């Protein structure tokens, strides 16, 4: 995409220039070069997107489920064919390393594979003879127009968590991607059209709060899927449910990794380095707190040594471990929190505040940062930092570790490193977090399960992908039927609720 070009809206099957006079520049986070502009769609464009989605629903919901599955199969094949090209666009606008960008695309493709299984996933239930001569069976039917609002940190994976599942269920979908990296989702939409998705089934509208508010307040939009920060997630959940919509809002995180003294030291150190500062810590499943139990605290210096060796760099630098933060504002926020950590008495063993990358003087770089002696009262423990910053907390027992993790308001992911099955079993059973890794640092479930954050990391009931997504994006219709063989079966008015 050439400099300053505006990303297009995808409305009624056409990629169109927005008529809006307002737009937001999208910059390469390693250089500040303007890559393109995100237009803020006009009210008229938002209305047209909805009207087209509503119209398309009338025919798309009647398309046989096996044909819907075939669109997903073709889409999956196209995404695989264009995998590296999408990853390059993604790397340029997010700053992620090329390998990490490929992972972002791949985790999305896996959800499209799941969406291609839609016939089996949308089979209902049946029971014969629930009363004499009466059968009951249920069907899964789509809702109507659904919408998704996505964050900057996974511009391929998270849109692909949403629209393929919703559309495979027979709904039509309006996607409002992050204004910070709109090129990747726009490319995903181009390939979806190429896969043979009928006109209007997917719309992509660009913008920010105003465009989200249009979707939140539209009386006919049935379901809203959101991923982003806690304050915005709470706002979306409150407003969406107040407007009587079905809402799932995935929000921020503070993920703890508990390290038992019986764990393997090398495994722990290697895993913690990648899980904490990988992708510059801009992952909702990143480990941001390492809880050292008993003698495992003796491994802190070795972990600090390994973290200090990690070097960020540009997306196409093969030696770079991770890229820059998404924006100068995100960088400043992380630097302020690091400063706060120092002021509040945490011990800064590795300080990445003054990070420089040769050849990229203007990049939003923050080096790996590691604090020990962190306490529950400190700001760096309480807030989601969303940067390459790891906090170490020391406790004496597994019970104390559990108490710490369970008292934290977030509940996205957690992990335990141990060689003791009883400790792992106790942790897995008692921890109040939705996704638990045992000797696995970032336990993101594959799409045949669901992405199941808890507490302040998720507002709603039904989670992303897997069987829960089918329930989120559909209604169940239950039919109770009697087919009398003759009029003799007709016994006159029945005044009770009893069936037999
Ligand atoms: P964000 O909340 O700033 O933005 C997310 C989306 O909401 C964007 O599309 C944005 O345009 C829109 N938005 C922003 N402010 C709004 C407002 N006031 N009203 C209405 N809409 C608004 O989040 P982000 O910075 O793009 O993403 C990072 C956050 O997302 C982190 O907190 C991270 O933990 C979270 N996240 C969570 C998960 C998860 O599964 N739990 C996954 C990825 C990211």
């Amino acid at each position: 995409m050439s400099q300053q070009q505006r990303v297009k809206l995808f409305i009624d099957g056409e990629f169109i220039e927005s008529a809006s006079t307002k737009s937001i520049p999208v910059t390469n986070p390693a250089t500040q070069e303007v890559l393109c502009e995100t237009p803020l769609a006009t009210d008229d464009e938002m209305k047209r997107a909805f009207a087209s989605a509503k119209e398309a629903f009338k025919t798309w919901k009647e398309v046989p489920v096996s044909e819907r599955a075939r669109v997903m199969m073709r889409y999956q094949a196209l995404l695989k064919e264009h995998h590296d090209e999408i990853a390059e666009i993604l790397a340029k606008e997010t700053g992620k390393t090329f390998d990490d960008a490929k992972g972002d695309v791949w985790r999305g493709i896996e959800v499209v594979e799941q969406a291609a299984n839609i016939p089996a996933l949308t089979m209902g239930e049946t029971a014969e003879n629930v009363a004499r001569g009466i059968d009951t069976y249920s069907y899964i039917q789509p809702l109507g127009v659904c919408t998704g609002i996505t964050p900057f940190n996974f511009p391929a994976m998270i849109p692909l968590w949403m629209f393929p599942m919703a559309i495979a269920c027979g709904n039509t979908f309006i996607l409002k991607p992050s204004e910070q990296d709109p090129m990747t989702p726009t490319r995903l939409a181009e390939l979806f059209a190429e896969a043979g998705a009928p006109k209007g089934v997917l719309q992509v509208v660009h913008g920010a709060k105003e465009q989200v508010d249009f979707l939140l307040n539209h009386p006919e939009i049935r379901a809203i899927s959101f991923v982003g920060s806690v304050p915005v997630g709470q706002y979306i959940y409150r407003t969406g449910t107040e407007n009587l919509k079905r809402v799932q809002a995935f929000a921020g995180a503070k993920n703890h990794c508990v390290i038992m003294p019986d764990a393997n030291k090398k495994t722990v150190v290697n895993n913690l380095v990648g899980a904490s500062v990988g992708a510059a810590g801009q992952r909702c499943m990143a480990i941001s707190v390492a809880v050292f139990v008993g003698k495992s605290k003796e491994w802190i210096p070795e972990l600090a040594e390994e973290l200090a060796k990690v070097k960020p760099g540009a997306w196409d630098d093969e030696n770079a471990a991770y890229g820059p933060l998404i924006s100068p504002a995100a960088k400043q926020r992380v630097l302020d929190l690091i400063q706060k950590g120092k002021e509040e008495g945490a011990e800064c063993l590795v300080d990445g505040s003054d990070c420089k990358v040769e050849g990229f003087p203007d990049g939003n770089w923050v080096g790996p940062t590691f604090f020990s002696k962190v306490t529950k009262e400190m700001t760096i423990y309480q807030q989601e930092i969303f940067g390459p910053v790891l906090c170490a907390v020391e406790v004496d027992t597994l019970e104390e570790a559990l108490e710490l993790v369970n008292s934290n308001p977030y509940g996205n992911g957690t992990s335990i490193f141990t060689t003791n099955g009883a400790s792992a079993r106790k942790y897995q059973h008692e921890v109040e977090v939705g996704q638990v890794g045992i000797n696995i640092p970032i336990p993101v479930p594959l799409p045949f399960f669901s992405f199941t954050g808890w507490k302040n990391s998720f507002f709603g009931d039904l989670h992303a992908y897997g069987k829960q997504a089918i329930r989120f994006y559909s209604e169940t219709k239950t039919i109770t039927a009697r087919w009398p063989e003759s009029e003799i079966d007709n016994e006159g008015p029945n005044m009770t609720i009893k069936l037999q």
Side-chain angles (χ1 to χ4, degrees), residues 251-262:
K254 197 80 185 170
N255 304 315
H256 297 64
C257 177
V258 172
I259 300 126
M260 299 302 289
D262 56 48

Side-chain angles (χ1 to χ4, degrees), residues 294-354:
K295 275 177 156 282
S296 70
K297 67 179 173 214
E298 290 169 9
W299 307 342
I300 290 176
E302 191 170 325
L303 177 58
E305 221 173 279
E306 291 304 317
L307 278 165
K309 290 181 194 161
V310 175
K311 299 279 173 261
W315 74 272
D316 52 355
D317 173 355
E318 282 176 8
N319 297 317
Y322 65 83
L325 294 188
I326 189 70
S327 64
K331 173 180 169 173
Q332 192 53 52
R333 192 181 154 272
V334 172
L335 294 185
D336 291 348
L337 281 162
I338 295 175
Q339 184 55 31
K340 197 102 184 145
K342 292 174 190 166
E343 286 164 15
E344 290 179 355
E347 200 174 316
C348 193
L349 300 178
V350 184
D351 186 351
S353 337
D354 189 25

Side-chain angles (χ1 to χ4, degrees), residues 150-153 158 176 179 209 226-229 251-252 284 384 451:
T150 54
F152 79 82
N153 67 329
I158 292 180
K176 203 302 285 172
E179 62 277 30
K209 179 172 168 48
F226 166 85
V227 180
S229 59
C284 66
E384 179 185 43
F451 188 92

Side-chain angles (χ1 to χ4, degrees), residues 146-150 162 173-177 215 223-226 473:
C146 302
T147 183
I149 297 145
T150 54
M162 299 177 181
F173 200 87
I174 305 175
L175 175 69
K176 203 302 285 172
L215 300 170
I224 298 188
S225 188
F226 166 85
Y473 289 121

Side-chain angles (χ1 to χ4, degrees), residues 122-125 137-141 475-479:
T122 46
M123 282 163 66
E125 296 174 311
Y137 45 95
S138 63
Y139 290 125
I140 303 294
Q141 294 196 340
E475 296 280 23
T476 303
K477 183 178 279 178
T478 311
I479 296 140

Side-chain angles (χ1 to χ4, degrees), residues 132-134 482-494 499-500:
R132 280 177 215 292
I134 295 180
R482 174 176 14 212
W483 293 96
E485 285 182 26
S486 68
E487 285 194 10
I488 300 164
D489 291 347
N490 233 328
E491 291 165 352
N494 184 349
L499 282 172
Q500 56 181 346

